[in-house]
């Protein structure tokens, strides 16, 4: 049965939906410094889960290609994401970067034992349309005002996370505990980038500290373990389409907390995204396995 692992993977999407709110509440800490702290918290979570069974530390003994994939995915994604948002308008860069769910759904057809059905394709396109409505809401004049560097980094961002998720499936026997090591190395690399490129800025209030800790616990922490389990053991096509819920839920959370306003655009996007996810997950919801 792949339903439970798929639901565990989807819990990562729910955690990622709080990323924008927590980031907005975390103050003016520069991105690599924030990444270093969040990845450090994530690695502490992983090591804490191993305390009861020290033998799980053996999961860190992996081939170099596994470590390369982990660093490519976790650190690489954030590097390209931050570069994109520094060099192009956030809405446009975010839209390009959030092509990764569609790339996962389409790319999953290349995995052994998987088959891409018309439901996955139509559901992915519906989700992409809904995501575009959310991310382009408020954008003026379409794409513009940014640089090729920013847009190129956004494309690489989408390719990085989709590639990481798809290639993780090929290492399905690799224990999820190895994510702990990935997070630790990502934290160290973020520290190096911070020292070379940024000026240290610490949170000024308790609320900002709580937001930073919340990021490390959830969207940039436990979510990686849940997503790894989901893409390796669950239905990766359903997860790819369900990932479109992240920008929707993120937008709704921002509206609830006063960072945005409700509109017909949001309502239409909700119908497109939830409808697309339902269509792609149709076989799973009926209790059948999708191969």
């Amino acid at each position: 049965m792949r339903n439970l692992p798929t639901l565990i993977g989807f819990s990562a999407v729910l955690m990622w939906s709080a990323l924008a709110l927590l980031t907005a509440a975390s103050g003016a800490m520069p991105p690599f410094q924030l990444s270093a702290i969040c990845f450090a918290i994530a690695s502490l979570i992983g090591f804490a889960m191993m305390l009861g069974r020290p033998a799980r530390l053996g999961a860190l003994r992996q081939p170099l290609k596994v470590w390369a994939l982990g660093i490519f995915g976790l650190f690489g994604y954030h590097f390209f994401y931050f570069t994109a948002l520094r060099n192009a308008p956030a809405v446009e860069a975010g839209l390009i970067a959030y092509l990764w769910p569609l790339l996962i759904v389409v790319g999953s057809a290349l995995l052994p034992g998987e088959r891409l059905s018309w439901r996955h394709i139509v559901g992915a396109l519906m989700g992409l349309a809904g995501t575009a409505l959310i991310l382009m809401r408020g954008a003026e004049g379409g794409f513009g005002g940014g640089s090729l560097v920013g847009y190129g980094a956004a494309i690489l961002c989408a390719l990085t996370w989709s590639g990481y998720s798809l290639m993780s499936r090929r290492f399905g026997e690799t224990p999820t505990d190895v994510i702990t090591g990935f997070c630790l190395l990502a934290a160290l690399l973020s520290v190096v980038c911070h020292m070379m490129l940024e000026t240290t800025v610490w949170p000024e209030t308790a609320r900002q500290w709580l937001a930073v800790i919340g990021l490390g616990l959830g969207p940039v922490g436990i979510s990686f373990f849940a997503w790894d389990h989901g893409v390796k053991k669950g239905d990766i096509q359903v997860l790819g389409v369900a990932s479109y819920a992240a920008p929707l839920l993120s937008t709704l959370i921002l509206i609830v907390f006063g960072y945005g306003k409700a509109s017909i655009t949001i309502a239409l996007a909700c119908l497109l995204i939830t409808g697309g996810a339902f269509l792609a997950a149709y076989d799973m919801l009926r209790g059948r396995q999708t191969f």
Side-chain angles (χ1 to χ4, degrees):
M1 294 294 291
R2 294 196 288 180
N3 290 8
L4 180 58
T6 300
L7 292 174
I8 292 174
F10 182 67
S11 72
V13 177
L14 297 178
M15 285 182 270
W16 288 333
S17 68
L19 180 62
L21 178 64
L22 292 175
T23 301
S26 64
M29 184 180 292
F32 283 118
Q33 181 187 356
L34 184 60
S35 293
I37 294 176
C38 291
F39 279 123
I41 293 175
S43 64
L44 289 176
I45 293 173
F47 284 119
M49 292 190 295
M50 296 180 187
L51 288 178
R53 297 174 56 189
R56 292 171 62 179
L57 288 170
L60 300 180
R61 299 193 197 97
Q62 297 296 331
L64 181 61
K65 60 184 179 181
V66 173
W67 285 98
L69 176 62
I71 298 304
F72 162 76
L74 300 191
F75 179 77
Y77 171 82
H78 289 84
F79 171 78
F80 290 128
Y81 183 81
F82 295 144
T83 301
L85 266 65
R86 282 184 172 182
N87 293 277
V91 172
E92 287 89 337
L95 175 61
I96 297 173
Y98 227 90
L99 288 172
W100 65 261
L102 178 62
L103 295 176
I104 287 177
V105 172
V106 176
S108 63
L110 303 176
L111 294 176
E114 300 291 350
R115 178 177 60 84
L116 193 66
S117 73
W118 69 268
R119 290 191 181 94
H120 293 114
I121 296 174
V122 175
L125 292 175
M126 290 173 64
L128 180 61
T131 302
L133 284 175
I134 292 174
L135 294 177
M136 296 190 73
R137 190 171 75 94
E140 298 180 357
F143 294 96
S147 69
L148 292 178
V149 172
Y151 294 138
I155 293 173
L156 290 174
C157 181
L159 291 171
T160 297
W161 193 254
S162 59
Y164 167 73
S165 298
L166 290 168
M167 286 187 286
S168 291
R169 187 62 171 262
R170 295 186 178 275
F171 296 98
E173 301 303 318
T174 302
T176 296
D177 285 330
V178 75
I179 297 295
T180 301
F182 295 165
C183 290
L184 181 59
L185 284 183
L188 294 175
L189 286 173
S190 296
V191 168
V192 173
C193 290
H194 168 63
M195 294 177 65
M196 294 176 60
L197 303 172
E198 299 174 337
T199 300
T200 301
V201 177
W202 295 108
E204 298 178 350
T205 66
R207 179 182 177 183
Q208 292 178 0
W209 273 113
L210 289 174
V212 171
I213 294 173
L215 283 169
L217 292 175
V220 193
I222 297 174
S223 63
F224 295 137
F225 297 89
W227 183 253
D228 182 79
H229 183 72
V231 297
K232 287 178 178 176
K233 307 297 182 182
D235 191 320
I236 194 169
Q237 294 173 336
V238 172
L239 282 174
V241 176
S243 298
Y244 285 111
L248 169 68
L249 294 175
S250 177
T251 301
L252 294 177
I253 289 173
L254 291 172
I255 290 173
V256 169
F257 283 87
Y259 288 90
K261 296 181 180 180
S263 69
I264 295 178
T265 301
I266 295 298
L268 180 58
C270 180
L271 291 175
L272 284 169
I273 292 173
T274 55
F278 178 83
L279 182 62
Y282 180 76
D283 290 327
M284 186 185 76
L285 294 174
R286 290 192 60 183
R288 299 203 308 261
Q289 293 299 301
T290 305
F291 295 101

